[in-house]
Structures are given as structure tokens and as C-alpha cells.
Amino acid sequence: MVYIKIMFTQSEENYLKAIFQLQEETEGGISTSRLSDKLETKAASVTEMLKRLSDKELVDYQKYYGVQLTKTGRKQALLIVRKHRLWEYFLVERLNFNWDEVHEVAEQLEHIKSPKLVEELDSFLGRPQYDPHGDPIPDKNGNLPKSPTKKLSQLKLGEKGICKGFNDNSSAFLQFLDKQNIGLYTPIEVLHIEQFDESMTIRVAKRDVQLSKTATDNIYIDNIAT
């Protein structure tokens, strides 16, 4: 990855990362209202920041067509994401944090400016490809490992899969998963699908667990041949 020798404020970095994450979820421009919701800030503040980022040629912003990262903006966003996910991995694997505790700490650590520290951290950790929540970690050139795209809710009755990631990384959802003994690489088998609300009964670690459609929509899965 080519490091961009431009100084950014913490707020600017947060915007770049948020735009990147929203672009990963959908095609086309990101509306100011979606960005406002994600960052929990006023639309007027979003518009002002987008103008600043546009002046730095980090985003393409058109009032009625939304915002997208430029090539330069994407490189910078990937660097921030890389730092965030490496720190999450470090906190869980080396400092024994729970996976629901690390996001806020990594939010602070991702703004450290030292490229050497990031590269040494990556090497020290053995160059992991995925963070503790299954999210891909960009390498030093900005390349992302393959992300899972199939949701547990898409499995059919009797199908089996391996948990590979989560669309919701909030502490509340991760704590809920802990209670159900569901984590990364957990084997899952679909035992029943309720026709009324599409909730599921699944087999996890020799236990039968009931999950709502909201929960199964937020769990990514890889199929296992049955």
C-alpha cells in the first residue's frame, strides 16, 4: 500500500472508513442520510465534511447522487480499516480481550500514524487475514481477502455450514452469540425453519438453538457438503 503523506483529522478518517464500509454493502453513491445515520451526526455536518474531503480529492460528491471514494480516498480508508482490524486481532489473540470488547479500543488505536508500527504489528501477529469477527484484513498493498456473502438465513432445512463472519459486530449481538455458543468457525446444522417468521432451530455444539430472522440475517456462513 502506498502511504499518503497528507495529514488527516480523526474525524476525516472516521468519515473515510464509514464511506468505505457503506460502499462494501451497496453499489452506487452513498447518500448523506445513510452516512449521517451511520456516524450518528447531523446531515448538515456530513455535507460540510464531504465538501472538505472533496477538496482534498478523497471523495466524489454530488448533491443528488451521493458520495463515493476516489482511488486515493479508498487507499486511505483501507489503511484505516487495516489498522483497526489488526488491533482487534491483537487485543483478542494476545491480550485476551473478549471479542465484544475490542471495537471501541481499536477505534482509538486506528488513528496512530506510524506506518512502521502497523507493518511490525502485522508481522508480529503472523499476517492474519481475518479479524476476530471474520472481517477481512487488508494487506499492506490494500488487497482484501475474500469475504463471506452467504447468510445463515439462506440455508435450507437439513443443510450444514460453518460460521464465517457477522454483519452486526455490536457488543449486544456478539454477547448474544456467546450465550448461544456461536463463534467463528462454529459448525451449524439447520433443524427447522418456521414458515410464519422464518426463524430457525439450529444444532450448535450438540444443542438445539432457536434464532430469529434478524439473527440469521446477520450471520455469514460457508456451506458444508451434506
Side-chain angles (χ1 to χ4, degrees):
M1 182 181 295
V2 177
Y3 294 98
I4 304 163
K5 296 180 180 180
I6 303 174
M7 294 304 294
F8 299 96
T9 66
Q10 183 169 321
S11 180
E12 288 172 335
E13 291 187 339
N14 287 338
Y15 269 80
L16 291 173
K17 186 177 71 169
I19 296 167
F20 170 82
Q21 291 170 336
L22 290 171
Q23 283 189 188
E24 291 294 286
E25 298 172 6
T26 187
E27 295 182 1
I30 305 303
S31 68
T32 54
S33 60
R34 284 191 67 194
L35 198 50
S36 175
D37 290 343
K38 185 170 182 64
L39 292 167
E40 298 181 348
T41 191
K42 296 179 181 179
S45 299
V46 172
T47 301
E48 182 180 347
M49 176 59 77
L50 293 181
K51 290 178 179 177
R52 285 168 55 184
L53 295 175
S54 182
D55 289 342
K56 292 185 177 183
E57 299 183 348
L58 298 170
V59 302
D60 288 323
Y61 171 57
Q62 299 181 52
K63 187 173 182 180
Y64 298 106
Y65 296 95
V67 61
Q68 290 184 310
L69 294 171
T70 62
K71 184 176 180 180
T72 300
R74 180 176 170 80
K75 284 183 178 180
Q76 182 63 26
L78 282 165
L79 173 59
I80 301 162
V81 169
R82 171 172 163 78
K83 289 189 287 185
H84 182 98
R85 294 176 181 173
L86 282 172
W87 282 119
E88 287 196 334
Y89 189 95
F90 173 76
L91 292 166
V92 170
E93 297 297 328
R94 302 295 174 142
L95 298 186
N96 299 317
F97 276 66
N98 291 330
W99 67 343
D100 61 295
E101 297 177 318
V102 296
H103 179 72
E104 290 186 3
V105 181
E107 286 277 294
Q108 301 170 49
L109 294 169
E110 72 185 28
H111 299 292
I112 293 173
K113 305 299 183 184
S114 171
K116 182 178 180 180
L117 175 60
V118 179
E119 293 308 310
E120 292 297 330
L121 177 64
D122 190 22
S123 177
F124 173 72
L125 295 174
R127 306 203 182 280
Q129 290 192 308
Y130 298 92
D131 76 6
H133 311 113
D135 292 322
I137 301 174
D139 67 15
K140 64 181 180 180
N141 297 312
N143 299 311
L144 280 166
K146 181 181 178 182
S147 299
T149 58
K150 188 167 189 175
K151 298 176 180 178
L152 174 56
S153 58
Q154 294 174 286
L155 289 191
K156 297 177 182 178
L157 182 64
E159 288 190 321
K160 298 179 181 180
I162 295 287
C163 181
K164 295 301 292 286
F166 312 97
N167 192 44
D168 181 351
N169 288 334
S170 66
S171 294
F173 187 60
L174 296 176
Q175 289 167 9
F176 168 77
L177 293 174
D178 278 338
K179 292 178 182 177
Q180 312 306 325
N181 293 321
I182 298 173
L184 277 184
Y185 314 117
T186 297
I188 291 173
E189 179 182 1
V190 179
L191 301 180
H192 177 73
I193 302 174
E194 183 60 50
Q195 185 176 3
F196 172 67
D197 61 2
E198 299 181 71
S199 60
M200 281 185 173
T201 302
I202 62 173
R203 175 68 52 83
V204 178
K206 299 182 180 180
R207 294 176 57 239
D208 293 355
V209 174
Q210 291 186 320
L211 295 178
S212 67
K213 180 68 159 52
T214 299
T216 60
D217 272 343
N218 279 292
I219 298 173
Y220 289 117
I221 207 91
D222 267 357
N223 275 88
I224 300 175
T226 56

